[in-house]
Each structure stands twice: as C-alpha cells, then as structure tokens.
C-alpha cells in the first residue's frame, strides 16, 4: 500500500523553515532584490525611451518622420499602399495668423500624426466653416489666458494668394491645445481651420504636403531611398525629407543603438541570476548534512525534493510579493517625477506616460522564480546523488590541499590569503562573476547617465568657436591657405 507522506513533507519543510528563518529571510531578500531591480531598471529604460520619443515629437510638433511637399493625388494613393509606411496624412497651408500658420489637415494627420505631439487638448478639430482651433501660444498673444470652447473671436488672416490679400474673419473656437515646437528649427505652430472654410476660399491650387509615419526600424536615409524607388516624382525639384524615427533616436540616445541595449539587458539578467544562484549555492552547502540525516532514516530523493520545493514556494512567493510592491511603488510614485524633471523640462509632463508595465513585472517575477527553482534543483540534485554516509560527513572539497600541506611553514601572509580564496574554486569563480557583472552594469549606468545628459547635446550644437568657409572645392586653388590662417593665428591657437 502506497504511503501518503505529503503532510509529513509539509511539516518537515515548515519546521526547517522556522528553524532557519535567518537563512530563509536572506533567500527571500535575494529574490525580492532581483525582482525589484529587474523591474525598476527595465521600467526606467523603457520610460526613458518613451520620454525621449515624447520630447522628440513635441519638439517637432509631429510624430511623423518623413514628408513630401507639392505632392499629387496619385502620389498620395501610391504611398498609402506601401508596406513600410504606417500612416499618411494630408496637410494644406494657405496663410498666416497671430504668428501661426493657417492649416487644414485630414483626420489621419490630426489623430495619428499631430495630436500625439500636443498636450492639454480641449475641444475638437474644426468641422464647420466658422470653426477654428488655436494653440495656447496664439491665444495668449492676443490676451486670452482662459479660453472657452464655443467663444467667438476675430482673426486677421494674411493669405499666401495675393488675390485674397488680408482680412479679418469671425470664428467660433472649437478647441485649443498646448504645443512645444522648437520654432527656430521646425517652423511656426499651426492654427487649424476646417476643410469647409478652405473650400469657400478662391485660393486656386494650393500645395499639398504629405506627412508619413514609417516603420520604426527604418532609418531616415533608408526610407528616402525606398520612396524614391517606389514613387515617381513630379519633377527634379520635388524631394522626400526623411528623418530617423523617434524610437530610433531614443534607443541611440539611451545606449547607442538596439544592439547595445540587448547586450546591457543580457548583462543585467545574468547579474540577477548569478546573485540568486550564489546565495542558494552557499545556503544548500550548509544543509547537506541535515539532508543526509534525513536520508539515514529512509527519506527518499523524491521526498527531499518535496521538502526543498515546499520551502521555495514560500520564499519565492514572499520575495516576489515584496519585490513587486517595492518596484511598483518606485515605478508609479518616483519614476514619472524623475523622468519629467530630467528629460521633459519645458516639454510638458510625463503624467500620461505608462510607467507601470504589468508585462515587465511579470517577466521580472517569472525570471527570478525560474532562476530560483533551477538553482535549487541543481543544488538538491547533488545531495540526492550522495549516499547517507557521504551526506552526513559532507565537507566541501578544497582544491589543492596536498600542495598546501607540502608548503606548510613556508607560506607568507599574501600567499595564505590567496590559498584561502582558492580553497573553493567554484564558489570563487561564481562570486567573481557576480562582482564582474555588477561592475559592468555600473559602468553601463554611468555611460547611459552621461550620454543622456542634455548638456552634451548643447555643447555639441553650440561650440565656443566655429570656423567655417564658403569656398567650394573647385575654388580652393585660387586661395592661399596661409591668407586664411596666418602663422601667427595658428601659433596663437596652439
């Protein structure tokens, strides 16, 4: 008749857990630290990437990366069918008002390309002929600091077409928004009008601009080359303007590219795994004799596995719970404030950013649990293989014991220290690997923090001294280089 020893196994596991609470708390702390570290590090990295993407989009005023001016309807239809283009938006500009550009865009351009780059959006995009949507910058310029949707206002419009000239028009405010466009690089913000208002103007044929969102893995130069091959241009002066996607820029700003991010992720995971393995390895070495005593009274290998895994369930549960709570608290309370102050200064807040990502938390908990179970399985496997006598009399074998005996009385203090370190080579190399991984992670953090410092970008874009010339290559021989840089000037610079 088969015995049911489940209650006995649970009882033994509980007694051993209570008798060695300090050891179990250390194991629980290792699991909690691994879960919290993995979740916080990857949450911060993904939050930093998302922050850089937001900053890039808000600075440009669009989330698209490629544009085509003076586009035709045929080109628009062709581009919509391209597999590497996700969205295509239409844009027409016909004048200026209040320091902004008078613009009409379609639904795709507003919802997918323009709207994600703005904050504090109130109301809706204009649909009726007399409706208008303005940026807060323009409203403040005319003294309106507390706008209300539905209020009436008069706008002076200067049309590009000289036939329409200039005039004042009465509108109803259908909405307003806040933008952060760097006007020195990306032009003025837009005041949005309805298609019905544009159709009512006798403005002739206006130029159509297409905004395109490409695949995030394609850089600006590649998408330009592909578009030139796939789309027929109307003339030699028409050109595509392609830039790297915000995601590409964010990954490059964070760590230099996708490959570096993957390497750092592997190092971080390996560090957390080695930490848990090292703690469990040392812990189980101290309990082998106890398991040997259990084997002498008839405990089978399967029952030893049951005792160990019963304890591990408690350790993994509480470690994961504590680590998850600490990680969530940091991700929800600390990280948005930190990211906003460090990387979104004058570009809005990160309040709408998702800093708590359940998938990252689940991966962190799952990875830590798997490493704990595997490490425990490797340790208990060695115990199961030992005979009861070997387990009771177990003592970790020290490497090179014969050599040390022959050197007795001849060893200096540094040699004694080295020999003591090398007594247990496996433990030494695992500890050294943990320290090396920690050093690599620390260097990676320093590299990322320095690379993310916006002062580097300012210093790169705004040098103290800039020496340029308008001389082309075919004109170089007509000039004496010593006249451009006299010896006295060069000596002074040196």
């Amino acid at each position: 008749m088969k015995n049911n020893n489940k209650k006995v196994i649970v009882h033994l596991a509980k007694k051993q857990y209570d008798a060695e609470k300090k050891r179990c708390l250390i194991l629980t702390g290792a699991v909690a630290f691994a879960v919290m570290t993995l979740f916080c590090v990857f949450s911060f990295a993904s939050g930093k990437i998302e922050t850089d993407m937001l900053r890039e989009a808000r600075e440009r005023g669009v989330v698209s990366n490629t544009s085509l001016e003076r586009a035709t309807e045929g080109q628009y239809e062709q581009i919509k069918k391209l597999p590497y283009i996700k969205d295509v938006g239409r844009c027409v500009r016909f004048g200026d008002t209040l320091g902004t550009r008078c613009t009409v865009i379609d639904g795709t351009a507003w919802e997918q390309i323009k709207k994600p780059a703005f904050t504090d959006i109130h109301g809706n995009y204009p649909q009726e002929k007399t409706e208008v949507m303005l940026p807060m910058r323009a409203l403040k310029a005319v003294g309106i600091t507390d706008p209300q949707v539905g209020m009436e206002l008069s706008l002076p419009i200067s049309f590009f077409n000289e036939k329409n000239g200039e005039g004042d028009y009465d509108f109803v405010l259908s909405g307003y928004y806040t933008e952060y466009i760097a006007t020195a690089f990306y032009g003025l913000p837009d005041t949005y009008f309805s298609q019905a208002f544009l159709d009512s103007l006798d403005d002739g044929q206006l130029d159509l601009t297409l905004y395109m969102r490409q695949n995030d893995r394609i850089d600006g130069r590649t998408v330009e080359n592909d578009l030139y091959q796939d789309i027929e241009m109307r003339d030699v002066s028409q050109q595509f303007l392609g830039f790297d996607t915000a995601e590409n820029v964010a990954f490059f700003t964070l760590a230099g590219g996708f490959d570096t991010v993957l390497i750092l992720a592997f190092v971080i995971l390996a560090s957390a795994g080695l930490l848990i393995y090292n703690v469990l390895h040392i812990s189980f070495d101290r309990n082998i004799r106890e398991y040997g005593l259990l084997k002498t009274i008839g405990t089978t290998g399967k029952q030893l596995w049951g005792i160990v895994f019963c304890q591990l369930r408690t350790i993994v549960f509480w470690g994961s719970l504590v680590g998850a709570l600490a990680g969530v608290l940091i991700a929800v309370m600390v990280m948005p404030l930190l990211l906003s102050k460090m990387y979104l200064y004058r570009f809005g807040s990160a309040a709408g950013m998702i800093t708590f990502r359940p998938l990252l938390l689940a991966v962190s908990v799952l990875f830590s649990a798997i490493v704990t179970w595997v490490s425990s399985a490797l340790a208990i496997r060695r115990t199961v293989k030992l005979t009861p006598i070997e387990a009771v009399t177990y003592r970790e074998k020290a490497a090179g014991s014969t050599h040390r005996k022959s050197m007795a009385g001849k060893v200096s203090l540094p040699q004694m220290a080295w020999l003591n370190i090398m007594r247990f080579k496996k433990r030494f190399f695992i500890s050294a690997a943990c320290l090396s991984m920690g050093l690599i992670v620390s260097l990676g953090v320093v590299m990322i923090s320095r690379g993310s410092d916006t002062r580097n970008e300012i210093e790169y874009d705004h040098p103290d001294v800039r020496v340029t010339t308008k001389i082309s290559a075919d004109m170089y021989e007509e000039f004496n280089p010593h006249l451009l840089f006299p010896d006295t000037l060069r000596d002074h610079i040196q």
Side-chain angles (χ1 to χ4, degrees), residues 285-298:
D285 278 347
R286 296 177 179 177
N287 290 340
I288 287 180
R289 293 176 186 173
E290 296 180 15
Y291 296 135
L293 289 173
L294 290 174
K295 293 186 72 173
T296 59
I297 61 175

Side-chain angles (χ1 to χ4, degrees), residues 124-128 130-133 172 174-175 192-195:
N124 300 298
Y125 186 85
Q127 301 295 329
E128 302 296 329
T130 58
E131 290 183 338
V132 68
M133 187 177 201
V172 175
S174 68
Y192 295 108
F193 296 82
S194 65
Q195 183 65 43

Side-chain angles (χ1 to χ4, degrees), residues 313-329:
R313 282 200 299 267
T314 305
I315 291 171
V316 170
F317 173 78
W318 287 108
S320 300
L321 182 62
V322 173
L325 289 176
V328 170
L329 184 65

Side-chain angles (χ1 to χ4, degrees), residues 431-444:
S431 300
C434 289
L435 293 174
S436 300
M437 289 292 185
L439 181 61
I440 294 172
V441 172
S442 301
L443 291 175

Side-chain angles (χ1 to χ4, degrees), residues 25 38 60 129 198 205-206 223 324 333 401 445-446 453 477:
L25 284 176
L38 291 176
R60 294 180 182 179
K129 178 181 176 181
L198 181 63
Q205 187 67 28
L206 294 170
V223 77
M333 302 293 294
S401 58
V445 170
V446 172
D453 192 345
E477 295 182 354

